[in-house]
Amino acid sequence: MLYREMEKTGDKLSILGFGCMRYPRKNGRIDFERTKKQIISAIDNGINYFDTAYMYPGSEEVLGKILSEGYREKVKIATKLLMIVIKTREDMDKMFEKQLKRLQTDYIDYYMLHSINLEQWENLKDNGLIEFIEEEQNKGRILNIGFSFHGNVFDFKKLVDDYDWDFCMIQYNYLDENYQAGKEGLDYASSKGLGIIAMEPLRGGMLVDKLPDSAKKIIENFHIKKTPAEWALRWLWDNPNINVVLSGMNREKDVAENIAIASNVQPNSLKDDEKEMINEVKEEFKNRIKIDCTACGYCLPCPHGVDIPMAFSSLNDKAIFGGMKSNIQYLMTTTENDSLASKCNECGICEKKCPQNIAIVEELKIANSDLEKWYLKIVLRIAKIFMPLF
Ligand code: SF4
Ligand code: SF4
């Protein structure tokens, strides 16, 4: 296993992190014995970064139980405060205490505000959140503070600048260089000294199982033979500013394969023809893109608050990958920020500023009908009301 140092803390973290959001299951429940074997094998093979969250059902409890058997000091635990249900300082304290109990530990090495958006941060930072973070840091119960993020790069940069974060976690892979925080956000955060944790390295398996046939052929015909997963991981680790790549592993085969790759990949080692081959694969995806928005943000701010680049990147995402994941991610972010495409009143100000000459008003109508499904809005509203806090 190879390690990279966190600039602010000096921690040497394994470049492969274990994502604990999808443990193996048996009869509908977490298969504890199999999970335990995988986690111990991962630790024995050098993985020292384990990522969980309050909202992953059973994940913190299972990780805590396994690590309590003599492994706690060998690893760094990363977990997250569930922002969508937090309203008061008391909520933060209660949730954090519960997490320590679940994880059977006195401290959290890497603590994140889970999928935070600018609106939540602005609402809570002077309403107990900063006080909570700093008190727990002073008590030595939060060692490093960061956030995970799915919004646009502009909000991302504002968040980076607004607090003395140690690290952040962003969605990143070879398809997402210009999506959400993207490369621009990654470089920015890194230049400010934040450690970078990359999530979704395989786009939830899309860069492996759902590669278009034409993209698969490019990989198969390349003169160096590696799996699609290995190319995707190597592309990430080629970037020296990425500290940890998180993989949500739950098959022994994947744990072993990923460890083998992570033991043998140096930054800046991809050759020109390898990068070119990955770019060709990327082009095959790009051919499916619907709107040529570069997420430059020149169209912003919209007087009605519409997050135009977010709407278009989500539409493109849906066109490439299908399914409902893009809808849910889009609705979660824009509902909270009050920046839905449906808020557009067609004033046209944004269109005059778009260097790509995109028919923004018309495309937002499509975003409204394709992304803002009424039933998903209801499900999200209900989930928010009934999300168990304690
Ligand atoms: S046309 Fe719509 S999205 Fe564009 S600035 Fe006006 S209200 Fe905002
Ligand atoms: S100005 Fe045009 S290209 Fe830039 S983010 Fe807005 S819609 Fe996209």
Side-chain angles (χ1 to χ4, degrees), residues 225-245:
K225 304 297 175 201
K226 295 190 191 301
T227 63
E230 180 162 355
W231 284 118
L233 292 172
R234 282 187 178 270
W235 182 88
L236 285 164
W237 283 317
D238 200 54
N239 185 330
N241 293 329
I242 294 176
N243 296 78
V244 175
V245 173

Side-chain angles (χ1 to χ4, degrees), residues 154 291-300 308-309 312 350 353-358 360:
F154 315 103
I291 305 174
D292 219 3
C293 170
T294 58
C296 67
Y298 294 155
C299 53
L300 299 177
I308 302 165
F312 293 164
C350 55
K353 297 189 274 184
C354 175
Q356 309 295 328
N357 294 320
I358 294 170
I360 295 178

Side-chain angles (χ1 to χ4, degrees), residues 244-255:
V244 175
V245 173
L246 262 195
S247 179
M249 299 172 278
N250 61 13
R251 294 187 302 186
E252 292 70 13
K253 169 180 159 286
D254 295 339
V255 179

Side-chain angles (χ1 to χ4, degrees), residues 139-164:
K139 285 186 209 162
R141 303 205 301 176
I142 291 179
L143 303 192
N144 299 284
I145 186 70
F147 62 92
S148 66
F149 188 81
H150 285 287
N152 67 47
V153 64
F154 315 103
D155 289 357
F156 177 78
K157 286 181 174 179
K158 282 185 198 156
L159 262 174
V160 166
D161 286 341
D162 209 31
Y163 193 66
D164 186 18

Side-chain angles (χ1 to χ4, degrees), residues 241-307:
N241 293 329
I242 294 176
N243 296 78
V244 175
V245 173
L246 262 195
S247 179
M249 299 172 278
N250 61 13
R251 294 187 302 186
E252 292 70 13
K253 169 180 159 286
D254 295 339
V255 179
E257 274 176 22
N258 290 348
I259 287 171
I261 304 165
S263 305
N264 180 30
V265 55
Q266 298 295 337
N268 298 318
S269 64
L270 273 184
K271 306 236 168 36
D272 286 348
D273 63 338
E274 296 172 324
K275 286 183 197 163
E276 188 48 44
M277 184 276 289
I278 293 171
N279 278 339
E280 281 175 35
V281 171
K282 221 156 94 176
E283 285 305 313
E284 292 303 318
F285 276 100
K286 273 196 182 161
N287 290 338
R288 298 168 176 227
I289 277 173
K290 284 200 160 168
I291 305 174
D292 219 3
C293 170
T294 58
C296 67
Y298 294 155
C299 53
L300 299 177
C302 155
H304 292 270
V306 178
D307 190 338

